[in-house]
Structure formats: C-alpha cells, structure tokens
Amino acid sequence: MKFAFILDPLDQLKAYKDTSIAMMREAVQRGHEIWTVQREALTWRDGVVAAQAQQIFPQADDHSWYAAGETANRPLTDFAAVVMRQDPPFDFEYVTATWLLERAVAGGARVFNDPRAIRDHSEKIAITEFAQFTATTLVARADADIQAFIEELGDVILKPLDGMGGSSIFRVRRDDPNRNVIVETLTGQCIRTIMAQRYIPDIVRGDKRILLIDGKAAPYALARIPKPGESRGNLAAGGTGVAQPLSPRDREIAETLAPVLAARGLLLAGLDVIGDYLTEINVTSPTCFVEITQQTGFSVAAMFVDALEARACQGAQR
C-alpha cells in the first residue's frame, strides 16, 4: 500500500522520539510505500484535491532518518490512506487544510484522522462532552467569571484553548500577586476565551497520556511527571515520561471514549488524565509512541499500523 503522511518539515522532526517517524518505520518494514506532504502543498482544482508529495525511505539511523525518493504531484486518492499529523497552531490555515481534506474524503480519499472530526474536536473543549470524567472546569473569557472561579476554588490551572506542549499554562492561587495580570494576558483583556480547571494535586504522579487506536486503548499510558518546581508534566516542558499499565479508572475513561471517538473517524486520539480526571482529548498529532514502546516492549506503532491497514482495506472494498 501507499501511505501519505502530512507532516511538519522533515528536518524539524526529532527522530529519536517522534511518533510519526515510528509509524512510518513500522509501515515501511511491512513493505508499504511512504510519501510525505507539507500542508501548504495541498491544492484543489476541478474537484480533485492533490499535493506535491515526496516518497521517502525511513531509516533506523536517528541522525539521518530517511532517504529521499521521487517527488510528484499526486491526487490524494492515489494513496491507500492519508495520515494527517501536522502539529498545531490550530489557525485559519489549519482549518483551511481540514476543508481541503474534507473535499478529498468526499472524492474517495481515506484520511485519518477524519478532517471534519479534527476540526470539530477542540483538544481542550472536547472534554465538556464527557463532564462525568472532568475536574471542576470553566470555559469563559469575562474577567469577572474567571476571577470568581479562582476565588471559589483557590487553586486553579489556566490555559489557552489553542496551546500545545504545555505552553502558556499557569497555576494560579487565590493569593497570587500576579493573578490579575495572568488573567489579562491569557484573555487579551477579555477578548479570548480560556479554560480554567481546579488544580489536581495528583499531577505530582504524572499527567498520563492514554492512547486510543481505532476504538481500543493501548495497554500502557505514559505518565509525564513534572520536574521539581513545575506544575506541568508535558515532555516539552521538561517532564519525565514513565510508562505504566492503565489503572481501573484509566480504563473506565478510555473504554467510554474509545468507541465514540473511533465512530467519528478519529483513528488515533490521546487522552490526558491527571489522577482520576480527564483534562484534554488530543486529536491533531498525539505522541508518546516511542517512550511507551522503549519502556514496555509493546509496539504502539504496530498497533496503529494494524488499524491503518484495516481501515485502508475497508475503504478499498467499498
């Protein structure tokens, strides 16, 4: 099969830990062709969505992780599956890409995650559909609402709705002398909506990433443990990843969400769980494959490519 991956620039990927590269290495070991596409190369003309695509040959060497092959302009229907793995920011250009990919799907292309589902699932606000699993949460932009939330709970986390990797996340206590300026900065003086959540002390044991693949949970989560003095466990913020089996509560959350998300075309989703609480649902480019595999021996990439092959074959049989 021919698989296309829509990625960030290849020279910016960190091969020793990159989930997309783990997926591509697994796929090429099975004899599949790998092509890569940059989001800005997507085009629509006369009913056809196409892109300038480059074939690559993934290598085991992390310092020189691929060999470049031919480049060609190809309709997305040429591929058995197209895997959308572009990182946020989720700006207008990202939304435009989902519109183009949606037209590709309408024309017969198989795109994962489904572009409409990506667009419709804010990675922060999506948790509001599953409020039974969330800590006390507020989505608002008015200063009075946010300040009242801080005053009520006393210790909260504030974060923008479009961030990733732990960027611009603040822990704010009731008596924080910087409380007002933090709220003003995050909301842009009440012109941007943000999320506030009750601070969960279990963060010291890690912000767990649980991976859902085509309606099933991988058996291990990666607990991202904050470094001393930090309230963010994100690996990009200096957290340490420790793989661990899913707890009973992790399984309850995962088994509730997995079939719902899979039915919407979200082949891969990454749940963030702190303690017993769901805090985010990541659908753009969930990570942590490599860390879990290295620490447990369970190949998450193999589980993903199994699902991708099955979905591609289902599409071909229609």
Side-chain angles (χ1 to χ4, degrees):
M1 296 182 190
K2 295 182 177 68
F3 294 143
F5 285 76
I6 302 176
L7 302 170
D8 291 312
L10 301 185
D11 60 2
Q12 294 180 14
L13 304 182
K14 297 179 175 64
Y16 70 94
K17 66 173 186 177
D18 190 88
T19 288
S20 299
I21 293 175
M23 293 173 175
M24 292 186 289
R25 282 172 168 165
E26 176 65 27
V28 81
Q29 285 175 5
R30 301 183 184 200
H32 301 305
E33 282 188 23
I34 303 299
W35 294 71
T36 62
V37 172
Q38 300 297 298
R39 189 180 68 188
E40 58 269 23
L42 292 170
T43 63
W44 177 94
R45 180 169 178 174
D46 300 329
V48 176
V49 178
Q52 191 76 4
Q54 181 177 52
Q55 186 178 8
I56 66 167
F57 302 92
Q59 311 292 311
D61 183 358
D62 287 341
H63 298 288
S64 181
W65 68 267
Y66 73 95
E70 66 172 299
T71 299
N73 191 277
R74 306 190 69 155
L76 297 192
T77 50
D78 276 5
F79 302 103
V82 177
V83 182
M84 175 56 160
R85 292 281 304 170
Q86 173 86 48
D87 282 343
F90 202 91
D91 54 16
F92 186 74
E93 281 300 306
Y94 202 113
V95 172
T96 299
T98 68
W99 287 329
L100 290 173
L101 291 172
E102 193 172 356
R103 289 296 86 215
V105 170
R110 292 172 288 280
V111 181
F112 306 102
N113 283 331
D114 179 81
R116 176 177 290 184
I118 291 176
R119 190 173 64 245
D120 288 350
H121 282 76
S122 161
E123 297 191 319
K124 305 296 190 293
I125 295 181
I127 66 169
T128 62
E129 183 179 354
F130 306 98
Q132 71 269 34
F133 298 127
T134 66
T136 308
T137 298
L138 171 74
V139 179
R141 78 180 203 182
D143 183 79
D145 293 329
I146 298 165
Q147 295 289 2
F149 188 83
I150 298 170
E151 197 64 32
E152 175 191 351
L153 297 178
D155 194 356
V156 307
I157 294 293
L158 303 181
K159 53 188 172 183
L161 298 178
D162 59 351
M164 65 171 290
S167 62
S168 300
I169 292 178
F170 292 88
R171 180 182 180 184
V172 180
R173 296 179 177 87
R174 186 184 292 120
D175 60 354
D176 192 321
N178 296 308
R179 167 177 157 177
N180 291 342
V181 71
I182 291 171
V183 174
E184 291 167 4
T185 299
L186 284 177
T187 65
Q189 300 283 358
C190 299
I191 64 171
R192 286 192 298 270
T193 302
I194 67 169
M195 176 171 281
Q197 292 177 315
R198 175 174 62 80
Y199 175 72
I200 305 169
D202 281 334
I203 183 62
V204 298
R205 288 189 283 274
D207 180 354
K208 293 173 285 187
R209 167 61 54 81
I210 300 170
L211 294 164
L212 307 182
I213 298 175
D214 205 12
K216 297 180 180 178
Y220 298 94
L222 191 75
R224 296 158 299 172
I225 300 170
K227 65 183 181 182
E230 260 287 359
S231 57
R232 302 171 298 170
N234 307 75
L235 301 182
T240 300
V242 178
Q244 58 188 42
L246 301 189
S247 71
R249 175 64 166 180
D250 295 339
R251 289 200 172 277
E252 179 187 5
I253 295 171
E255 289 171 4
T256 301
L257 271 64
V260 175
L261 300 180
R264 295 172 183 170
L266 293 168
L267 186 68
L268 172 63
L271 309 182
D272 288 349
V273 174
I274 301 174
D276 289 335
Y277 299 100
L278 176 68
T279 61
E280 292 187 16
I281 302 173
N282 297 271
V283 300
T284 52
S285 53
T287 60
C288 300
F289 279 32
V290 175
E291 294 87 351
I292 290 173
T293 300
Q294 287 176 342
Q295 293 182 38
T296 69
F298 178 83
S299 177
V300 188
M303 181 179 178
F304 176 80
V305 176
D306 284 345
L308 187 65
E309 290 172 336
R311 288 287 194 112
C313 289
Q314 288 169 8
Q317 290 167 2
R318 291 195 187 104

